[in-house]
Amino acid sequence: MTSCRRRLGRWLLPEKMAAVDIDMPVEPESQIRSQDDLDRQAEIFKEQGNAYYSKKDYPAAFNYYTKAIDASPKTASYYGNRAATLMMLCRFREALEDSQQAVRLDDGFMKGHLREGKCHLSLGNAMAAARCFQKVLELEPSNKEAQQEKKNATTLLEYERMADFSFDKRDFRKVVYCMDRAIALAPTCQRFKILKAECLALLGRYPEAQSVASDILRMDATNADALYVRGLCLYYEDCIDKAVQFFVQALRMAPDHEKARLACRNAKALKAKKEEGNQVFKNCSYDAAYQLYTEALAIDPNNIKTNAKLYCNRATAGAKLKKFDQAIDDCTKAIKLDDTYIKAYLRRAQCYMDTELYEEAVRDYEKVYQTEKTSEHKQLLKTAQMELKKSKRKDYYKVLGVGKNATEDEIKKAYRKRALMHHPDRHSSATAEVQKEEEKKFKEVGEAFTILSDPKKKMRYDSGHDLEDDGCFDGGDFDANNIFRAFFGGRGGGFSFDSSPDSQPGNFFFQFG
């Protein structure tokens, strides 16, 4: 029995010891061996990562550097290597985190500070970048790369300063110039891209602005700034309803986005005021329409396309109110905002016609016809050209002081008045110069009456024919003396007018019986 127990004990003892071994703590030597194994494995992963990095297979290099970090999370160089890989993959925010972790683990890790600075610079954080490059120079004063990058950070700060100053001065072209150069130094800075896009929109370069905003939204569909710029482009292209949708979406993403809030308010106000003006114009309330368009123009001076339409609308209302000079000025402002706005050219041309500025009218109609060769525009141009031709002849209506729609009786009354007014006998005591001028006017009055009192000649004159070219005044067909005598019937005797080349001023005389 005892021997049995001894045999049983010999068999049981290992089991008891094994049970004790399971509960016993691991010896320090085994821990060291385990960490050494992990460190060796981490080095292997790092070397594999280096090999893939050399082959420019950055995704594979990233995976191996990550494995190295997992195996040895307190080794600064592994974070530094992964940061370098992330930079090659243009994942600068993640690279920045790894660089910062590397220098936290080892403040003397020069490459870690250098990479952190490069990440800050690429992301547009110029001041932070400058501090990192300064740290590198403290560790290694002769580091040329750090010296150059520090200069780049200083240059970037200067471009930012210039852009802010130019934006406040509304010099948006200068802002775009500065941002182009800033983006070359900080290619992943969305803030610079957004500012550039906003200024492009303010300059009316909508396709370029939309392209920049769309690129950002493809990477981040919730970017409130990009949504705002996209809406701004639509707003400035007079697509106000769609613009409001983008502004509202931007405000959902960022409720405190002040620019989106202001643009949304302006868009709604502008649309309401313009529609109100259009409605009262249709109701023939031209004064009210003129005032409403004026109020709409004050809402947002930056909205070029909508304001061009508002100026043209106000010009139309002004023309209805016979404010032709103001209407012409409004059309000119509309064209200055949008030189492709055909409606503004047409409206201004009509105002020029109404004010008998035919050369200007022809110029505008020519511009329109060159752009849109329609039969209607061709006819408008022909009409203006005809009126221009007619304006270069003597204006017999002006000579008699009557309108172009004057009746036969009005023409006769006007001739009677003007003929007696300019009759040389009334100016016989005046100077020779005055007598000569009155003689000339007396003859013109006779010419005007000859044409406008004859239906056929008047019709040809009104249609633009040059009657002097037709031989109506060849010396034998017209005589101011005959016209005057015929009109007044030779009352009280006779009246003669010497129109020979040798006649002297004032050679007119009455004969009384």
Side-chain angles (χ1 to χ4, degrees), residues 8 12 50 70 104 111 177 187 190 214 221 365 394 410 414:
L8 184 58
L12 290 174
N50 289 348
D70 291 341
R104 275 194 293 268
K111 287 186 178 180
Y177 170 87
Q190 291 187 354
S214 296
Y365 282 133
K394 289 179 182 177
E410 288 171 337

Side-chain angles (χ1 to χ4, degrees), residues 84-137:
T85 304
L86 287 166
M87 290 169 70
M88 298 307 295
L89 292 169
C90 295
R91 293 159 60 178
F92 286 92
R93 292 196 181 279
E94 296 168 79
L96 178 60
E97 292 174 8
D98 273 357
S99 299
Q100 290 172 330
Q101 178 62 17
V103 297
R104 275 194 293 268
L105 292 169
D106 181 2
D107 189 53
F109 184 28
M110 184 273 294
K111 287 186 178 180
H113 289 292
L114 186 63
R115 286 168 185 153
E116 182 187 357
K118 287 184 176 181
C119 290
H120 278 306
L121 189 63
S122 182
L123 292 167
N125 305 323
M127 292 184 69
R131 287 194 295 268
C132 293
F133 297 135
Q134 181 59 39
K135 179 65 175 180
V136 174
L137 292 171

